[in-house]
Amino acid sequence: MVVLGAGPAGLVLANLLLAAGIDCAVLERASRSHIQTRARAGFLAPNTVRVLDRHGLADGLHRHGLAHGTCEFRTGDGRFRLDYGVLGRGEQHTVYPQQNLVTDLLTRYLDSGGRIHFGTEALAVHDADGPRPYVTTLEPDGRPTRWDARYVAGCDGRHGAARRSLPPGAVRHHHDYGVSWLGLLAQAPPSLDAVGYAVHDHGFAGHMARSPQVTRYYLQYPRGACADAWSEERIWDELDLRMRAPEHGPLRRGPIVERGVVDLECDVVESLRHGSLLLAGDAASLTAPAAAKGANLAVLEAEILAGALAGALAGGDGAALDRYSAQCLAHIWRAQEFTQWMTGLLHAIPGQDHSGGSFFHASLRRARLDSLRMSRAHQDWFAENYVGV
């Protein structure tokens, strides 16, 4: 068994396969230090924590993760809070940076005798329609290598070898929201004890605590602008304006230690199985970051895929593998639907003049926010979908 990619999907899958007695090798193009320091979203859904708990992979997040169950919306009509941890099903997130989770999973895998090859670039998956697929790679020294397997799990992202190797019959559903974010990591304590969502005429702004010393911010940003186009002073001034700091209290400032531009898109492949090639994580689907579904879908898919592969390889029963794609796509489309709703709630539609479509859309957003502020039924729906996958 060959697993492409050492993100959450690949490492959860590899750990579960190893625990089931299935020999596998993980191929990762980046270095170990890179994957252990690559900052990503850190909001883990309750089901993600349950999956990791079930398989003994949650020690680190229980020691260092922070429970979180409140979000605050700021608009021109004031602000309101939702304690989503007591709404809906009464579930909350665990805040645990993804690089810490990856480090935990990698350590567990290696300590259990797992094999991983860093600096190994997968070029293509071959013969996936037959019983003996293989992967061609470049080793760290540039040597070409071939890896033979019974199955190949593509957990190497939307631009990886697994996606590039899909047959012509694969269908890709893609949607660009036309919105970009400037993602920021500030060496500054959180400024509020909630996830903050600010809706403003200048664009969306978001506040997400990562630790007592580090806060992640997001700013809606001009499409096509490079990440360093704005000075730190301008960034903080925009955050103050959009989060209405004069009305609700100042933001705690500090050095911006990381920045990057994210274009909000969704991308889904159907089917997730093509013979002996199976997709999981961002190789299977990409969600816009407004609802923090990506890593949670990856862990869910990895558990489903591990069980299906164990049934096929250890038990000789391929029925679960036959169901794998449809089972995961049901979760993926549910996450996409809520992400689209959330993205529409927080952003104006670019490229429309104020007197036409944008006024109509802004009025709808205001009505949705008013409903979310006042309707318990709407709040319960939001809470269930916000933490669900």
Side-chain angles (χ1 to χ4, degrees), residues 155-167:
C155 306
D156 52 344
R158 65 185 295 207
H159 300 299
R163 275 274 190 113
R164 295 196 303 269
S165 303
L166 293 176

Side-chain angles (χ1 to χ4, degrees), residues 34-64:
H34 178 75
I35 69 164
Q36 292 186 182
T37 56
R38 179 174 50 194
R40 291 289 186 271
F43 267 54
L44 301 182
N47 188 67
T48 301
V49 176
R50 286 192 288 268
V51 169
L52 296 171
D53 263 331
R54 260 196 303 273
H55 303 286
L57 301 173
D59 290 350
L61 70 88
H62 285 309
R63 284 197 303 270
H64 305 295

Side-chain angles (χ1 to χ4, degrees), residues 188-220:
S191 297
L192 60 157
D193 59 346
V195 175
Y197 295 110
V199 179
H200 194 277
D201 288 344
H202 279 219
F204 164 75
H207 166 288
M208 290 83 178
R210 282 293 175 265
S211 76
Q213 298 82 32
V214 175
T215 306
R216 182 167 287 282
Y217 287 98
Y218 293 103
L219 277 171
Q220 191 171 345

Side-chain angles (χ1 to χ4, degrees), residues 20-175:
I22 296 170
D23 181 45
C24 67
V26 179
L27 309 182
E28 168 56 52
R29 68 176 298 179
S31 66
R32 179 172 181 172
S33 62
H34 178 75
I35 69 164
Q36 292 186 182
T37 56
R38 179 174 50 194
R40 291 289 186 271
F43 267 54
L44 301 182
N47 188 67
T48 301
V49 176
R50 286 192 288 268
V51 169
L52 296 171
D53 263 331
R54 260 196 303 273
H55 303 286
L57 301 173
D59 290 350
L61 70 88
H62 285 309
R63 284 197 303 270
H64 305 295
L66 303 173
H68 196 281
T70 306
C71 57
E72 178 174 298
F73 292 87
R74 296 183 176 186
T75 75
D77 298 319
R79 62 177 174 175
F80 66 94
R81 287 193 163 206
L82 291 183
D83 292 324
Y84 65 86
V86 298
L87 294 165
R89 296 177 178 171
E91 296 182 318
Q92 56 190 357
H93 287 109
T94 299
V95 181
Y96 192 58
Q98 184 171 308
Q99 63 268 30
N100 294 358
L101 176 61
V102 165
T103 298
D104 295 346
L105 295 169
L106 177 59
T107 301
R108 173 65 175 272
Y109 180 63
L110 293 174
D111 287 350
S112 301
R115 291 185 294 148
I116 184 165
H117 298 262
F118 293 105
T120 300
E121 182 179 1
L123 301 177
V125 181
H126 306 269
D127 293 347
D129 56 347
R132 300 300 299 176
Y134 65 95
V135 181
T136 51
T137 67
L138 289 179
E139 297 299 306
D141 61 4
R143 286 184 301 109
T145 306
R146 168 173 166 156
W147 292 81
D148 293 284
R150 177 61 188 90
Y151 292 101
V152 177
C155 306
D156 52 344
R158 65 185 295 207
H159 300 299
R163 275 274 190 113
R164 295 196 303 269
S165 303
L166 293 176
V171 178
R172 178 188 175 210
H173 306 283
H174 179 262
H175 176 70

